[in-house]
């Protein structure tokens, strides 16, 4: 079905000032269209002789949600000096600070012409448009420059066969454009008035009627496919077509999140095991420090001649307190994720890998051998493949392991995810799973090992991606319970701002902080969490640690619903992983040492308490809570080496070394 064309204009030129061959013209004539596709308005420019299909143009940008698409041949690249000042009067120059890469074409059709050179092409969604720069009146033919929200500036479009007013009128039907106070030539997009809330990146990236229709038709895809990516603001979700309509207050937006998205409404009073947490004095948070990563020498010393791990608890404690040096990860992660049994010998592991390799390639052959005719009659497989291809193409593309054209890492990501669909066809593929696989493949550098580690990780994460979203719902309830015990005042403040459901933590939980920390920090964070120390659901205490760290700013600046969402989103890539690990561990110790720990909290953390009563408000029980797993080693290993503020305490290294010697 062809997408409706809302506007079309030929004779729209890009003026390229880049050095080219003598037989190339510096004026590139093209067609500009505004089209509506799947409830999204797209601005599309391409050369007149470019017959590319839209699906074959790269989605490349600063983040995975960007829909700016642009290709440029190597010969067209400008060699501008780094110190050359940028100028609005040279807007036909290529912006050299942004790199665009071409997407691998699954159908084998290259986006090239007979001479082998790609033409300039770009398209973007109006939801990503930040501003439009117009030319000065009386300065030749009219031109426009589109600037996107990630500050990518597209080349100026010159209207040789008419002016740009009709285009502006067309765009104003879908977005509100206001003159910039600083420069009347710049039209700013007022997303509050015409676009849906961006509280969750692309969650509501379409007109409200489209969102509501999709929620009714397929709530799982809408919520899972778009709820996972938190971004800047949350605005009106039921906007009427009348521009004079009043924006709905945040409380109504909160109600929409709570009520309109099936499976996510949390009514704690109706949840089994819900317990009213009254104010309890947890005492002062202890000082917690971390050690150096486990070295290859330490790992080898804890293995016998046949390759068995001698003291599993001891090695887990080492990993919890300091993580692993990178050279160990390829081997140690297989144990942590359960792919290798801890008590297995080297020979047993070699047999296991051989058996698992055969099993993997049998499953891979299942989807590889499906013909085009068969796939036409298998809509689920088609949908899985389409979504995987889309997600793989934008997963960790800034990482050297996945960057560039025709990258073998991307092919392996695709093949592993397709094979997982054969392994678990009921679940198949859900957006976000590529985020979980990417670090595993990066570390393993092996298709088969990465697959089976991913299978093990998905066993832990499966409920996050299931259609009923019960895993996400449960975790949000548990997080709310823990945060209320930790700081009931902060919880009350969040509730007063319609933020008590903690939906802004959704992405943290869904893909285990993958988008919140740098790639290298995620490797450290995940391996620490995989030790399952010092308690169950340690990732929820990490959430508490981050929120507690941001509490003062949120409350002192009186952040409301929108500001809280924006602030939490902007923490991405700014969180100190070692500090947060120290803080979360301190919170766990604080709770374990509490003699009046509520039963609900004990169950969440997997702590056995001899006689803790559900009504924690009496304060009469003096029984202590203990971990359901052995803790003597954990307690002996907590001697600090690297403090929470990043400083080292060299005076205590000797005592730590002594206390860490295996029995």
């Amino acid at each position: 079905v062809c997408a409706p064309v809302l506007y079309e204009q030929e004779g729209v030129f890009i003026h390229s000032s880049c050095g080219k061959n003598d037989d190339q013209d510096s004026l590139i004539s093209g067609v500009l269209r505004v089209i509506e596709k799947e409830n999204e308005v797209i601005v599309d420019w391409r050369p007149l002789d470019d017959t590319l299909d839209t699906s074959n143009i790269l989605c490349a940008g600063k983040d995975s949600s960007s829909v700016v698409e642009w290709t440029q041949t190597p010969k067209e690249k400008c060699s501008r000096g780094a110190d050359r000042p940028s100028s609005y009067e040279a807007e036909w120059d290529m912006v050299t600070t942004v790199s665009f890469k071409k997407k691998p074409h699954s159908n084998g059709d290259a986006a090239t012409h007979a001479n082998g050179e790609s033409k300039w092409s770009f398209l973007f969604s109006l939801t990503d448009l930040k501003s439009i720069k117009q030319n000065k009146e009386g300065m030749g033919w009219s031109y426009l420059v589109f600037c996107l929200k990630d500050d990518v500036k597209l080349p100026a479009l010159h209207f040789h066969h008419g002016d740009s007013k009709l285009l502006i009128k067309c765009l104003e039907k879908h977005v509100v454009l206001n003159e910039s106070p600083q420069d009347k030539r710049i039209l700013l997009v007022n997303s509050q008035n015409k676009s849906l809330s961006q509280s969750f990146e692309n969650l509501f990236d379409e007109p409200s009627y489209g969102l509501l229709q999709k929620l009714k038709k397929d709530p799982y895809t809408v919520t899972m496919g778009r709820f996972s990516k938190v971004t800047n603001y949350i605005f009106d979700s039921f906007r009427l077509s009348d521009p004079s309509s009043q924006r709905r207050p945040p409380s109504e937006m909160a109600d929409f999140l709570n009520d309109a998205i099936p499976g996510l409404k949390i009514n704690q009073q109706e949840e089994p095991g819900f317990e009213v947490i009254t104010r309890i004095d947890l005492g002062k948070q202890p000082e917690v420090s971390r050690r150096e990563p486990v070295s290859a020498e330490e790992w080898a010393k804890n293995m016998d001649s046949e390759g068995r791990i001698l003291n599993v608890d001891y090695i887990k404690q080492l990993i919890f307190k300091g993580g692993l040096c990178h050279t160990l990860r390829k081997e140690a992660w297989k144990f942590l994720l359960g792919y290798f049994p801890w008590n297995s010998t080297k020979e047993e592991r070699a047999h296991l890998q051989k058996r698992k390799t055969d099993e993997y390639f049998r499953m891979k052959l299942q989807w590889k051998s499906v013909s085009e005719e068969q796939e036409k009659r298998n809509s689920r497989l088609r949908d899985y493949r389409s979504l995987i291809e889309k997600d793989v193409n934008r997963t960790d593309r800034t990482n050297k392991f996945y960057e560039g054209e025709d990258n073998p890492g991307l092919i392996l990501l695709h093949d592993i995810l397709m094979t997982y669909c054969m392994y678990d066809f009921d679940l198949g593929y859900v957006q976000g799973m590529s985020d979980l696989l990417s670090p595993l493949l990066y570390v393993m550098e092996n298709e088969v090992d990465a697959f089976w580690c991913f299978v093990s990780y998905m066993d832990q994460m499966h409920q996050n991606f299931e259609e009923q979203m019960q895993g996400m719902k449960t975790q949000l309830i548990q997080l709310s319970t823990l945060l209320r015990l930790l700081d009931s005042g902060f919880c009350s403040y969040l509730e007063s701002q319609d933020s008590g459901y903690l939906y802004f933590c959704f992405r943290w939980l869904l893909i285990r902080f993958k988008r919140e920390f740098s790639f290298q920090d995620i490797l450290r964070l995940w391996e620490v969490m995989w030790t399952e120390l010092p308690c169950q659901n340690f990732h929820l205490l990490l959430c508490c640690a981050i929120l507690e760290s941001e509490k003062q700013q949120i409350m002192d600046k009186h952040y409301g619903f929108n500001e809280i969402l924006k602030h939490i989103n902007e923490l991405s890539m700014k969180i100190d992983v070692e500090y947060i690990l120290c803080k979360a561990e301190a919170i766990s110790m604080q709770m374990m040492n509490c003699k009046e720990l509520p039963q609900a909290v004990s169950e969440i953390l997997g702590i056995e308490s001899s006689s803790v009563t559900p009504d924690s408000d009496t304060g009469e029980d003096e029984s202590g809570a203990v971990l359901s797993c052995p803790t003597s080693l954990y307690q002996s290993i907590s001697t600090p080496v690297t403090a929470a503020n990043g400083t080292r305490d060299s005076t205590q290294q000797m005592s730590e070394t002594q206390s860490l010697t295996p029995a």
Side-chain angles (χ1 to χ4, degrees):
V1 180
C2 294
V5 178
L6 308 177
Y7 168 91
E8 184 172 15
Q9 175 69 52
E10 293 187 6
V12 181
F13 285 72
I14 285 179
H15 292 200
S16 173
S17 63
C18 303
K20 299 182 179 181
N21 296 334
D22 294 337
D23 60 343
Q24 287 182 304
D25 197 344
S26 62
L27 299 181
I28 305 171
S29 176
V31 180
L32 181 66
R33 295 184 180 90
V34 179
I35 59 177
E36 188 172 13
K37 187 176 181 181
E38 296 179 357
N39 295 318
E40 190 171 23
V41 179
I42 304 292
V43 177
D44 180 315
W45 184 91
R46 63 192 58 221
L48 277 173
D49 60 346
D50 195 342
T51 57
L52 262 178
D53 185 82
T54 301
S55 62
N56 285 339
I57 304 176
L58 162 71
C59 282
K62 194 165 87 170
D63 59 38
S64 63
S65 69
S66 175
V67 290
V68 56
E69 303 174 344
W70 191 1
T71 61
Q72 180 191 17
T73 65
K75 291 183 180 179
E76 288 175 323
K77 291 181 180 176
C78 303
S79 55
R80 301 200 312 181
D83 56 348
R84 175 176 174 180
S86 60
S87 167
Y88 271 121
E89 305 311 318
E91 283 150 331
W92 48 86
D93 285 347
M94 173 68 180
V95 180
T96 59
T97 56
V98 180
S99 172
F100 294 83
K101 304 179 181 69
K102 187 162 62 178
K103 176 172 86 172
H105 301 290
S106 57
N107 59 7
D109 297 330
T112 58
H113 297 276
N115 59 5
E117 293 183 353
S118 300
K119 295 295 184 181
W120 302 63
S121 301
F122 67 77
L123 62 82
F124 61 88
S125 166
L126 277 190
T127 58
D128 285 338
L129 182 61
K130 179 181 180 182
S131 65
I132 304 172
K133 173 71 182 292
Q134 305 175 96
N135 62 304
K136 293 179 181 177
E137 290 187 16
M139 296 289 288
W141 47 63
S142 64
Y143 68 81
L144 298 177
V145 179
F146 295 107
C147 182
L148 306 185
K149 288 180 180 176
D150 51 7
D151 292 326
V152 170
K153 188 174 68 172
L154 300 177
L157 297 178
H158 296 256
F159 292 74
H160 289 202
H161 300 167
D163 60 31
S164 56
K165 290 180 181 177
L166 287 177
L167 174 62
I168 297 297
K169 286 183 179 178
C170 173
L171 298 181
E172 284 180 329
K173 294 177 182 178
H174 305 280
V175 292
V176 172
L177 300 174
N178 298 322
E179 282 187 359
S180 168
Q182 287 76 31
D183 188 341
K184 290 185 178 180
R185 291 183 297 160
I186 298 178
L187 299 175
L188 301 175
V189 177
N190 186 347
S191 58
Q192 291 190 5
N193 294 321
K194 284 288 178 96
S195 68
L196 291 172
S197 162
Q198 291 295 309
S199 65
F200 300 97
E201 176 185 35
N202 291 342
L203 170 60
F204 306 140
D205 62 351
E206 55 214 287
S208 55
Y209 67 90
L211 170 66
L212 296 177
Q213 287 175 342
K214 288 191 176 184
L215 276 171
K216 292 176 182 176
K217 183 179 178 182
D218 190 356
Y220 173 52
T221 301
V222 174
T223 50
M224 290 303 293
R226 306 194 179 169
F227 208 100
S228 63
K229 308 173 186 174
V230 182
T231 190
N232 296 334
Y233 305 95
I234 188 158
F235 298 124
D236 178 14
S237 68
F238 294 109
R239 179 168 178 78
L240 302 177
S241 57
D242 181 3
S244 64
S245 298
Q246 296 297 312
R247 175 183 165 190
R248 292 190 175 228
S251 59
E252 290 194 39
M253 254 327 291
D255 288 340
F256 173 75
L257 287 175
N258 299 338
D259 298 330
I261 301 178
L264 276 182
K265 182 174 181 181
I266 301 171
N267 184 344
Q268 292 178 318
Q269 299 290 351
E270 296 176 0
E271 289 301 315
F274 173 75
E275 174 183 355
V276 178
I277 305 296
T278 54
R279 187 181 295 274
I280 294 174
D281 183 12
L282 290 175
K284 186 179 178 182
Q285 275 185 18
E287 291 291 328
V288 172
S289 301
R290 293 181 57 72
R291 73 184 299 275
E292 296 293 332
V294 178
S295 67
E297 184 182 6
E298 286 176 303
W299 179 265
K301 281 183 178 178
N302 201 47
M303 193 173 282
D304 68 15
S305 58
E306 293 186 322
R308 291 187 188 86
I309 303 295
L310 293 172
N311 190 330
V312 176
D313 289 337
Y314 166 73
I315 206 71
K316 281 187 177 182
Q317 300 292 352
L318 289 180
I319 297 169
F320 174 75
K321 291 299 295 182
L324 294 156
C325 67
H326 189 69
T327 55
L328 275 179
R329 285 178 171 141
K330 189 176 293 189
E331 182 177 6
W333 279 23
K334 294 168 188 157
F335 289 95
L336 288 170
L337 284 165
Y339 176 33
F340 284 173
W342 285 99
N343 62 349
S344 61
T345 65
K346 191 173 182 179
E347 185 179 355
E348 288 169 344
R349 294 193 290 272
H351 286 305
L352 174 67
Q353 281 181 297
K354 186 179 184 304
R355 189 171 73 252
K356 290 295 187 181
T357 298
D358 292 342
E359 189 177 347
Y360 172 78
F361 283 107
R362 279 198 302 272
M363 289 186 289
K364 183 173 181 178
L365 187 62
Q366 289 174 1
W367 65 266
K368 279 279 193 180
S369 60
V370 173
S371 68
E372 289 185 16
E373 287 299 314
Q374 285 177 297
E375 193 164 315
K376 285 179 182 177
R377 297 186 292 273
N378 191 333
S379 60
R380 288 184 69 186
L381 184 60
R382 280 200 316 273
D383 291 344
Y384 289 157
R385 187 192 295 272
S386 174
L387 191 54
I388 287 169
E389 289 175 353
K390 179 181 176 183
D391 276 8
V392 161
N393 226 19
R394 57 190 189 182
T395 299
D396 292 323
R397 295 305 301 276
T398 57
N399 187 303
K400 288 186 178 181
F401 192 80
Y402 298 110
E403 72 179 4
E405 298 180 26
D406 302 320
N407 187 299
L410 298 180
I411 297 170
L412 291 180
L413 270 179
H414 171 274
D415 288 3
I416 292 170
L417 291 170
M418 284 296 296
T419 305
Y420 186 80
C421 291
M422 299 296 104
Y423 176 84
D424 187 348
F425 203 82
D426 286 343
L427 180 63
Y429 180 79
V430 179
Q431 191 172 21
M433 287 165 60
S434 62
D435 277 294
L436 299 184
L437 172 59
S438 170
L440 299 176
L441 179 58
Y442 170 83
V443 167
M444 295 300 150
E445 299 180 304
N446 176 284
E447 182 178 1
V448 175
D449 289 342
F451 173 81
W452 290 110
C453 286
F454 179 64
V455 166
S456 297
Y457 200 12
M458 281 302 300
D459 287 345
Q460 300 175 29
M461 304 291 289
H462 202 281
Q463 277 198 319
N464 283 15
F465 297 96
E466 291 171 1
E467 188 165 354
Q468 299 304 315
M469 305 173 78
Q470 186 57 46
M472 295 303 301
K473 183 179 178 184
T474 299
Q475 289 174 87
L476 287 169
I477 294 168
Q478 291 174 335
L479 176 56
S480 177
T481 302
L482 294 174
L483 191 62
R484 182 165 297 282
L485 173 65
L486 189 65
D487 195 325
S488 60
F490 184 38
C491 269
S492 297
Y493 177 82
L494 291 175
E495 287 169 358
S496 72
Q497 303 303 321
D498 298 299
S499 300
Y501 290 107
L502 307 177
Y503 284 136
F504 46 80
C505 299
F506 191 97
R507 183 176 69 182
W508 299 358
L509 300 171
L510 181 71
I511 51 176
R512 286 295 191 272
F513 308 100
K514 172 62 166 52
R515 304 277 181 91
E516 318 315 317
F517 292 89
S518 71
F519 196 87
Q520 292 301 319
D521 283 351
I522 274 297
L523 305 185
R524 170 76 70 242
L525 189 72
W526 282 5
E527 64 199 12
V528 169
M529 289 193 293
W530 291 337
T531 64
E532 300 180 336
L533 296 174
C535 57
Q536 285 179 187
N537 291 310
F538 183 63
H539 68 287
L540 298 180
L541 297 184
L542 289 166
C543 294
C544 289
I546 298 172
L547 292 175
E548 190 178 61
S549 299
E550 301 304 317
K551 177 188 79 167
Q552 186 171 355
Q553 182 171 345
I554 290 172
M555 294 182 71
D556 288 355
K557 294 187 177 181
H558 306 291
Y559 282 167
F561 185 70
N562 297 347
E563 291 81 10
I564 292 171
L565 288 167
K566 182 177 186 291
H567 178 71
I568 294 298
N569 177 60
E570 290 177 347
L571 293 177
S572 179
M573 303 300 158
K574 298 176 185 175
I575 308 171
D576 183 331
V577 69
E578 296 294 334
Y579 171 78
I580 290 301
L581 282 169
C582 284
K583 192 168 184 63
E585 184 183 350
I587 292 172
S588 72
M589 295 170 70
Q590 199 179 11
M591 291 188 175
M592 289 175 206
N593 293 333
C594 177
K595 294 182 178 180
E596 300 175 338
L597 199 66
Q599 185 177 338
V601 174
S602 298
E603 291 172 356
I604 292 168
L605 300 182
I607 296 173
E608 295 175 354
S609 42
S610 52
S611 57
V612 172
T613 59
D615 187 3
S616 58
D617 147 52
T618 62
E620 293 175 359
D621 250 330
E622 295 298 318
S623 58
V626 296
L627 279 175
S628 56
C629 54
T631 60
S632 58
L633 186 54
Y634 169 76
Q635 292 162 353
S636 70
I637 205 168
S638 60
T639 310
V641 172
T642 305
N645 62 7
T647 60
R648 291 181 56 79
D649 187 350
S650 57
T651 61
Q652 295 179 332
Q653 291 184 46
M654 182 64 72
S655 61
E656 185 206 30
T657 304
Q658 294 169 348
S659 69
L660 296 185
T661 305

